[in-house]
Amino acid sequence: MTPAPLFRIQDLHVRLRHRGGERTLVREVSLSVRSGQSVGLVGESGSGKSVSIKAAMRLLPRGTRAEGRIAFDGGDVLTLGRRELARYRSREVALIHQDPRAHINPTRTVGAFLTEGVVHTGQMNRAEATERACALMADVGITDAARRLHQYPHQLSGGLLQRVMIVAALLPSPRLIFADEPTTALDVTVQSDVMAILLEQIRERQVSMLFVTHDLDLAAAVTDRLAVMYAGSIVETGPSAEISARPLHPYTAGLLQCRPSTAEVKRLTAIPGRPVAAHEAGTGCSFAPRCPFAVERCRAERPHDRSIEGRTVACHRVEEIADRLEERAS
Amino acid sequence: MTIPAHRDLVLDVRGLRKTFHSRNGGPREALRGIGFSIERGSCLAVVGESGSGKTTAARIVAGLESATSGTVVVTDGRAGGKTRHGVQMVFQDPYGSLDPRQAVGAGLHELLKIHGMRRRADRRTRVSELLESVGLDDRHAGRYPASLSGGQRQRVAIARALALNPALLILDEAVSALDVSVQAQVLNLLADIRERTRISYLFVSHDLGVVRQVSDTCIVLRNGRLIESGPTADVLDAPRQGYTRALVDAVPRPGWRPRRRPA
Ligand SMILES: Nc1ncnc2c1ncn2[C@@H]1O[C@H](COP(=O)(O)OP(=O)(O)O)[C@@H](O)[C@H]1O
Ligand SMILES: Nc1ncnc2c1ncn2[C@@H]1O[C@H](COP(=O)(O)OP(=O)(O)O)[C@@H](O)[C@H]1O
Ligand SMILES: [Mg+2]
Ligand SMILES: [Mg+2]
């Protein structure tokens, strides 16, 4: 028997109070991250990736309600009391945002930002925290750590600031990092650098990661497993390399086909229409209106997860169409 | 570089320099003498890291910014059975370029009227034609920008730019903010429009996959200098400069691994 995963979401629904009623933001999401594992959560904008991460951190805005089960190391995250929650957020997990500038106080130095959390929770005293921050900064390739500690966020480039954020995330020695599009705002060359550093650090320390991105190729390259999200639900999960080589859900296949390649020119196979949010989806499969394989049943009835070839795929027709989804060229 | 006389250039830029003078930071050389040209009907891509000067170059060509020195020559001409003149520009954020209080169709009518299309019936035909050319239809004419999706708003921005029959259409990161499934639609649309009308594009993008799909030639900017140029396929398949190679190598693709930059 395999041990229970470090982190597990089961049947998560997130709903928002809206004009006297409720609006679904996330529907029936289940995923797990094992110790030392990296899992990618991939989807287009509005698919519910950030809301899922916020639910997992218990950071959902007012008016939203999370239902289902979120377990960390066997404990139920959704029912944690105030003190346990503070401990969970400050020591067990860490969050790296897409836009570091929006999440750092511009009037405080990098040093103050890095050390105040661990000092406040009593995990380290200030001297220890500063020493440890300097060591971590060296690990992530920030050469002049001592000088950087006295600088302000605006004096750092985007790539450098995101490396500071990685240091901030690692400092309390968390067991799981949630990374919500950590490199989306960066140039590709800087993205490559920052991702390499992040991977190196979490592997060395056996930290698990839930990596959120809209870029399937990026996610496949840096994670062990993928969960592909559409309209608030996960449509396909499985080993990253297998999903990117042979997608089984028509949405995953479509995402891979519409990505322009740097190596060849071909007319892109676009997915018609636009991505929808969970509350806009109809009664059937939420991808049906855009799916070239949709039949009557797809429009009428929500597909349940089916197990096939070691994957979980929410598609009524997966067995029939698996061989027709064009395999990835190259 | 000497240009053979038989080439029909829609754009010829030489020795372009731009120095910004900001109050606190001192002078900033955004462009340090760059030159490039676009043949009529073709698409030139401008690539480079952020801050390399792509937008500055595009804005100067569009006449939205003045150059510190250098020349920009736009030559009007016939393409696709129409006389095309001047330059139009489409930006990354279509919100900023559309009036939120004006319905899409009314906005196009107004634009055509300002530019001398007097008869209402003519304008009505042209508005339908324009909407159709960007994959929208008359049902969208009554909609306001806020009720359109990002992809639809960008199509409207393209329709507005095309309304004036420009010789050159500048697209500055025009598909960068779109979801990949919608981005593919807009890229196909831009390819179709160019094939049909032989309009020319100046296409600014940091995404080399996108650049490969849409452009014939490209220039690579670094810190305001042009460091490499040529047919897009040659530049991306066999880059001569380490900087260009690094840009190409950093694009995630199957089998790719992120790499630390050499210190
Ligand atoms: N605070 C909020 N109030 C209302 N709707 C929200 C809020 N946050 C997110 N949503 C909606 O929830 C859906 C999922 O959003 P999100 O998780 O941010 O998507 P993404 O996958 O791009 O991260 C979207 O339709 C979004 O508009
Ligand atoms: N209005 C401005 N005032 C001062 N500096 C500017 C201005 N616009 C651009 N710059 C500077 O010029 C350089 C090139 O910028 P830009 O053309 O926007 O680059 P890109 O589009 O390649 O990201 C950058 O260093 C930028 O900070
Ligand atoms: Mg998000
Ligand atoms: Mg720019």
Side-chain angles (χ1 to χ4, degrees):
Chain A
M1 215 184 82
T2 47
L6 177 68
F7 174 77
R8 170 178 262 169
I9 297 179
Q10 278 169 292
D11 205 17
L12 176 70
H13 289 251
V14 179
R15 298 187 180 88
L16 172 79
R17 249 183 281 138
H18 182 77
R19 295 187 179 161
E22 274 195 325
R23 174 173 265 193
T24 299
L25 305 185
V26 161
R27 193 197 317 263
E28 240 179 89
V29 160
S30 298
L31 66 84
S32 55
V33 184
R34 298 189 170 278
S35 192
Q37 194 178 45
S38 289
V39 174
L41 183 58
V42 181
E44 293 178 277
S45 63
S47 57
K49 307 181 295 297
S50 294
V51 166
S52 301
I53 295 283
K54 282 180 189 146
M57 290 283 291
R58 291 265 308 268
L59 287 172
L60 284 172
R62 270 163 181 277
T64 36
R65 191 160 60 84
E67 254 175 56
R69 200 176 136 76
I70 300 177
F72 181 85
D73 199 14
D76 184 358
V77 173
L78 293 182
T79 59
L80 289 178
R82 203 168 56 88
R83 291 180 64 144
E84 298 154 317
L85 181 61
R87 188 189 156 81
Y88 167 73
R89 283 191 192 143
S90 60
R91 294 201 181 183
E92 308 284 19
V93 300
L95 175 59
I96 304 176
H97 298 276
Q98 167 172 349
D99 179 8
R101 282 187 214 284
H103 297 274
I104 188 168
N105 184 340
T107 65
R108 311 261 292 151
T109 62
V110 168
F113 164 73
L114 283 175
T115 56
E116 63 199 356
V118 284
V119 171
H120 180 75
T121 58
Q123 219 178 332
M124 295 175 208
N125 65 34
R126 189 163 302 282
E128 287 165 352
T130 305
E131 194 186 316
R132 179 109 177 87
C134 280
L136 280 168
M137 284 165 91
D139 289 344
V140 302
I142 302 177
T143 46
D144 39 2
R147 181 170 68 93
R148 297 296 185 192
L149 287 175
H150 297 290
Q151 289 189 313
Y152 289 88
H154 76 266
Q155 295 173 293
L156 274 54
S157 69
L160 202 51
L161 198 56
Q162 202 56 299
R163 284 192 271 171
V164 167
M165 292 306 192
I166 293 173
V167 170
L170 293 171
L171 200 57
S173 306
R175 294 157 78 193
L176 172 64
I177 289 181
F178 298 112
D180 192 353
E181 310 237 16
T183 56
T184 300
L186 305 176
D187 273 318
V188 280
T189 43
V190 184
Q191 164 171 281
S192 176
D193 190 43
V194 168
M195 278 319 302
I197 286 166
L198 181 57
L199 287 185
E200 205 177 277
Q201 295 304 316
I202 62 167
R203 280 187 190 143
E204 226 163 75
R205 290 158 224 275
Q206 289 279 305
V207 179
S208 309
M209 176 166 73
L210 184 59
F211 179 73
V212 167
T213 177
H214 65 280
D215 186 336
L216 218 169
D217 285 327
L218 174 64
V222 303
T223 59
D224 306 304
R225 292 179 64 81
L226 287 180
V228 180
M229 216 171 171
Y230 187 79
S233 300
I234 289 173
V235 297
E236 176 165 8
T237 55
S240 305
E242 289 174 30
I243 288 188
S244 109
R246 182 172 144 81
L248 289 177
H249 193 284
Y251 176 61
T252 318
L255 268 188
L256 286 167
Q257 277 167 5
C258 61
R259 174 83 195 102
S261 153
T262 52
E264 55 167 349
V265 181
K266 61 170 199 301
R267 188 163 176 91
L268 301 169
T269 316
I271 306 175
R274 64 172 174 89
V276 294
H279 70 89
E280 297 174 291
T283 45
C285 168
S286 50
F287 188 59
R290 306 178 74 192
C291 181
F293 300 99
V295 293
E296 208 35 55
R297 182 179 179 206
C298 304
R299 287 180 273 271
E301 190 189 318
R302 255 184 91 71
H304 291 293
D305 285 346
R306 303 160 88 101
S307 291
I308 171 171
E309 299 181 20
R311 296 241 212 119
T312 307
V313 182
C315 171
H316 291 302
R317 304 191 64 203
V318 60
E319 291 90 355
E320 278 170 83
I321 63 175
D323 292 322
R324 286 158 61 197
L325 296 172
E326 221 178 308
E327 287 192 26
R328 186 85 195 271
S330 92
Chain B
M1 192 171 76
T2 53
I3 292 150
H6 64 267
R7 283 176 69 191
D8 179 13
L9 297 183
V10 65
L11 178 70
D12 194 16
V13 172
R14 296 180 192 208
L16 201 61
R17 288 180 178 279
K18 176 71 187 183
T19 306
F20 288 106
H21 297 276
S22 57
R23 249 157 281 144
N24 36 22
R28 169 135 213 138
E29 288 182 82
L31 295 174
R32 306 170 193 235
I34 66 167
F36 53 91
S37 58
I38 306 179
E39 265 187 76
R40 197 171 309 283
S42 102
C43 173
L44 172 81
V46 182
V47 307
E49 289 194 337
S50 63
S52 58
K54 304 182 296 294
T55 293
T56 303
R59 287 175 56 86
I60 292 172
V61 171
L64 297 171
E65 192 92 69
S66 62
T68 303
S69 63
T71 57
V72 174
V73 177
V74 177
T75 310
D76 296 344
R78 285 187 72 76
K82 276 192 176 110
T83 305
R84 303 190 154 273
H85 28 226
V87 178
Q88 289 295 319
M89 185 155 168
V90 177
F91 303 88
Q92 172 168 347
D93 173 19
Y95 251 130
S97 54
L98 300 178
D99 181 348
R101 292 155 307 177
Q102 197 172 43
V104 167
L108 281 166
H109 266 276
E110 186 183 278
L111 193 64
L112 293 170
K113 198 170 172 182
I114 291 170
H115 286 83
M117 198 179 265
R118 295 234 178 76
R119 291 184 45 204
R120 198 176 161 72
D122 290 348
R123 292 202 302 269
R124 201 173 295 143
T125 312
R126 181 80 176 122
V127 168
S128 299
E129 196 180 286
L130 283 164
L131 288 174
E132 198 195 312
S133 74
V134 296
L136 300 174
D137 56 45
D138 287 326
R139 278 173 307 171
H140 296 100
R143 307 265 297 265
Y144 288 82
S147 76
L148 297 172
S149 67
Q152 288 172 330
R153 278 197 291 270
Q154 202 54 297
R155 286 163 197 267
V156 172
I158 294 168
R160 291 180 59 87
L162 292 174
L164 306 175
N165 295 318
L168 177 66
L169 182 60
I170 301 179
L171 300 127
D172 186 2
E173 302 283 6
V175 299
S176 304
L178 301 176
D179 277 309
V180 61
S181 69
V182 175
Q183 175 181 287
Q185 297 166 14
V186 177
L187 288 174
N188 284 341
L189 172 77
L190 288 169
D192 292 344
I193 291 171
R194 187 155 73 94
E195 188 163 317
R196 205 170 55 234
T197 64
R198 296 201 65 247
I199 189 174
S200 317
Y201 293 153
L202 176 65
F203 194 95
V204 174
S205 179
H206 69 277
D207 185 329
L208 294 184
V210 166
V211 162
R212 184 73 193 251
Q213 302 309 310
V214 300
S215 69
D216 307 304
T217 55
C218 75
I219 60 174
V220 184
L221 300 189
R222 178 186 196 179
N223 290 330
R225 290 199 176 85
L226 191 157
I227 60 151
E228 186 157 8
S229 66
T232 304
D234 296 352
V235 172
L236 297 190
D237 289 344
R240 294 214 188 107
Q241 299 292 327
Y243 172 82
T244 314
R245 160 116 312 219
L247 284 177
V248 176
D249 287 347
V251 179
R253 57 186 169 277
W256 174 88
R257 290 282 170 268
R259 278 216 308 251
R260 270 182 99 141
R261 275 188 184 183

